[in-house]
Amino acid sequence: MLGEHSDAFVRDLSSRRLRHNSPMAAENSFDIVNKVDRQEVENAFNMAVKEVRNRFDFKGTDASIKQSGEAFEIEANGEERAKAVLDVFQTMLVRRKVDLKSLDAGQPRLSGKLWKITATLDHGISSENAKKIAKLIRDEGPKGIRTQIQGDELRVFSKKRDDLQVVQSLVKGADYDFAVQFTNYR
């Protein structure tokens, strides 16, 4: 009876060893995303509010920047002043290392006596943009690369890590009109 259990144990151990030493290479992957760090945006917003409040050239212009949900409302009594407030906000975003391609600022519009600009932050990669990136990778990337659209992200697979680094360089060099970051490198 003891012999039966020990034989089963040896067979189980040898099958585990075979599975562990299998010659198949594991696939590596990473995600291409468009995400902004909310805390950094909040810090940039607070810095812009303080800058607008304290700058001499904004005194008496009713210049302000407010946050309402996902949008940022910029107001001033002149179109150029409203654009200047937007420029201050963009400068603060750059200082906090937030990609300006994620910021979608509308055109200045007159509302009563004040000029207003509404700016929003883009999140995620649209399916159209994911298809553009996948096509670029398929056409110009190394062979053996696979892509898969997963919601608002694009996952890239390869057996070779070097190929994934080539794809990252390729996507960075493409200079799209939307921001991209690389996450979950495995």
Side-chain angles (χ1 to χ4, degrees):
M1 185 157 162
L2 186 59
E4 288 178 29
H5 290 293
S6 62
D7 289 340
F9 176 75
V10 170
R11 273 182 278 152
D12 184 48
L13 188 61
S14 63
S15 68
R16 284 186 195 176
R17 195 175 299 129
L18 286 174
R19 275 185 273 151
H20 188 275
N21 295 332
S22 67
M24 246 174 96
E27 276 202 324
N28 302 301
S29 67
F30 69 89
D31 294 335
I32 301 175
V33 299
N34 178 9
K35 293 182 181 178
V36 292
D37 185 349
R38 294 263 186 217
Q39 187 61 49
E40 293 300 333
V41 172
E42 191 68 30
N43 291 340
F45 169 73
N46 291 332
M47 289 168 53
V49 167
K50 192 179 290 185
E51 177 93 10
V52 169
R53 191 180 318 127
N54 294 333
R55 266 185 38 184
F56 182 76
D57 57 333
F58 288 127
K59 298 286 185 210
T61 62
D62 297 326
S64 68
I65 180 169
K66 299 173 187 150
Q67 187 174 6
S68 60
E70 293 286 316
F72 299 93
E73 293 291 331
I74 297 169
E75 296 179 346
N77 63 3
E79 181 179 3
E80 293 305 314
R81 285 287 131 220
K83 288 180 180 178
V85 173
L86 176 62
D87 186 51
V88 167
F89 183 48
Q90 289 174 332
T91 301
M92 298 305 166
L93 286 171
V94 168
R95 283 186 187 171
R96 303 305 298 186
K97 296 184 177 33
V98 176
D99 195 337
L100 288 183
K101 291 179 181 180
S102 296
L103 184 70
D104 182 24
Q107 293 298 315
R109 64 191 186 287
L110 188 60
S111 176
K113 293 182 181 180
L114 295 177
W115 285 85
K116 295 185 177 187
I117 299 174
T118 302
T120 57
L121 289 170
D122 294 333
H123 303 287
I125 297 176
S126 69
S127 62
E128 296 170 9
N129 291 337
K131 287 177 185 175
K132 284 182 195 176
I133 296 172
K135 182 175 177 3
L136 173 76
I137 293 169
R138 193 172 46 252
D139 294 346
E140 297 181 26
K143 300 295 179 208
I145 298 285
R146 293 185 308 116
T147 60
Q148 180 180 17
I149 298 173
Q150 297 179 333
D152 59 353
E153 299 178 350
L154 179 69
R155 179 155 292 165
V156 181
F157 301 94
S158 175
K159 292 187 180 186
K160 299 178 186 172
R161 286 181 170 240
D162 292 343
D163 288 350
L164 292 180
Q165 291 174 345
V166 168
V167 168
Q168 286 181 352
S169 301
L170 183 67
V171 172
K172 281 180 190 174
D175 193 34
Y176 291 108
D177 58 349
F178 53 92
V180 294
Q181 295 89 29
F182 307 108
T183 61
N184 295 335
Y185 193 82
R186 311 169 211 210

